[in-house]
Amino acid sequence: MAGRPSTGRNSSEDAWAAAAAELLTRVSSLDLSALTLALLVLAAFAAGWVDAVVGGGGLLQLPALLIGLPPDTPPASVLGTNKVSSIFGTATSSVTYARKIRPDWRTVLPLVVAAAIGSACGAELAKYLPRTYFTPIVLIALIGVGLYTWRRPQLGLTSHRRHTGRAHYGWTAAIGLGVGVYDGFLGPGTGSFFVILLVGVLGYGFLEASAKAKIANLATNLAAIIVFALHGSVLWALGLTMGAANLLGGLLGARMALKHGNAFVRKVFLLVVAALILKLGYDTIQQL
């Protein structure tokens, strides 16, 4: 009796299994211990969760890569691998927010386009300007953002748009351009800056702001990945492995944010800003 023909589902499963096996083989070829790889995957999961709720996941993932990868790894490869991992969680949380929050795409479009343009400009500036000058500036900005949010307990708990018509879209584009330049030039806390400006300047609630920030951050990440990939500055096997964990973290974080609402997102926002202040404060002291 002739055997049953294989189904499309089995063929698909075989393809995924083969791809996973190939990915594991390539990861094992890297000079990383099993413990280091496990910690990098855990950091990617935590970063995906934080990024989905309020942004700032790079605070966890990028330092983990800098510590975990061999010292002779080119900085561009670290940054490119970080972006590949991050985009999985960002894309997942963006889709989740878009389905549940249904953001106004007339606002999202100028935000995303301006952010992408700004990111490209920031990347160009990074070639000519010393970044050491900007860390103290970012630190001061974050302290101001943290105090501003902490002293206004009702900020972002409800949505009250402060601008209409051309003024609204003009401010939206300005926010996208400014934060995009920062993301291309430096990067830490990009999602948090998107969120607080959308809340403080435009009057959105934290949940709505997070939804729009994720979509804008997805555009800036994608643009950066294209640039890094063209220069061969991505460790694809590690980036994709960490990306799977980042994706799961992003999905969980977005669902928790949607479940618990603006108050929950505000608390996480303040915690992330505090952590960023500590990290950048340490970096500033090291530069002295």
Side-chain angles (χ1 to χ4, degrees):
M1 182 169 152
R4 292 168 58 184
S6 61
T7 63
R9 175 178 177 139
N10 288 335
S11 298
S12 176
E13 290 175 350
D14 290 343
W16 279 107
E22 175 66 18
L23 189 61
L24 290 174
T25 300
R26 289 181 179 273
V27 170
S28 64
S29 68
L30 297 172
D31 188 18
L32 298 174
S33 67
L35 177 59
T36 298
L37 179 59
L39 291 175
L40 286 175
V41 170
L42 181 61
F45 175 84
W49 188 92
V50 171
D51 237 9
V53 176
V54 75
L59 176 70
L60 301 172
Q61 186 168 272
L62 187 56
L65 280 166
L66 290 170
I67 294 170
L69 288 173
D72 59 349
T73 304
S77 295
V78 177
L79 293 172
T81 304
N82 177 61
K83 288 294 185 184
V84 168
S85 175
S86 298
I87 200 169
F88 282 85
T90 304
T92 302
S93 55
S94 295
V95 171
T96 303
Y97 277 124
R99 291 177 59 189
K100 299 294 184 180
I101 300 296
R102 299 185 184 280
D104 179 7
W105 291 101
R106 292 173 299 178
T107 298
V108 171
L109 184 60
L111 180 69
V112 168
V113 172
I117 294 172
S119 183
C121 294
E124 288 297 321
L125 287 174
K127 299 177 182 179
Y128 307 106
L129 299 178
R131 296 190 181 198
T132 53
Y133 292 173
F134 281 77
T135 302
I137 296 174
V138 175
L139 174 61
I140 293 171
L142 278 171
I143 291 174
V145 164
L147 289 174
Y148 178 78
T149 306
W150 178 63
R151 290 174 61 87
R152 291 167 174 76
Q154 299 305 312
L155 180 71
L157 297 185
T158 57
S159 182
H160 298 290
R161 280 177 50 165
R162 297 177 179 174
H163 305 280
T164 58
R166 292 182 179 179
H168 173 80
Y169 299 120
W171 277 111
T172 301
I175 290 170
L177 185 65
V179 179
V181 169
Y182 170 75
D183 190 30
F185 186 85
L186 203 59
T190 294
S192 299
F193 282 124
F194 268 129
V195 170
I196 193 58
L197 288 173
L198 289 170
V199 170
V201 176
L202 296 182
Y204 284 108
F206 272 103
L207 204 54
E208 288 181 274
S210 292
K212 292 175 173 60
K214 284 297 98 192
I215 298 170
N217 215 174
L218 178 62
T220 57
N221 281 349
L222 183 59
I225 288 173
I226 292 172
V227 173
F228 284 123
L230 289 174
H231 289 85
S233 300
V234 177
L235 302 175
W236 287 104
L238 181 60
L240 292 173
T241 301
M242 293 176 65
N246 195 271
L247 184 152
L248 292 175
L251 183 61
L252 178 62
R255 289 184 174 180
M256 288 185 68
L258 290 167
K259 178 180 179 180
H260 296 290
N262 287 315
F264 171 76
V265 177
R266 180 182 183 276
K267 291 176 183 177
V268 176
F269 176 83
L270 286 171
L271 288 174
V272 171
V273 167
L276 280 166
I277 288 171
L278 291 175
K279 173 64 170 60
L280 292 175
Y282 175 80
D283 290 344
T284 301
I285 293 173
Q286 291 295 102
Q287 293 174 13
L288 297 178

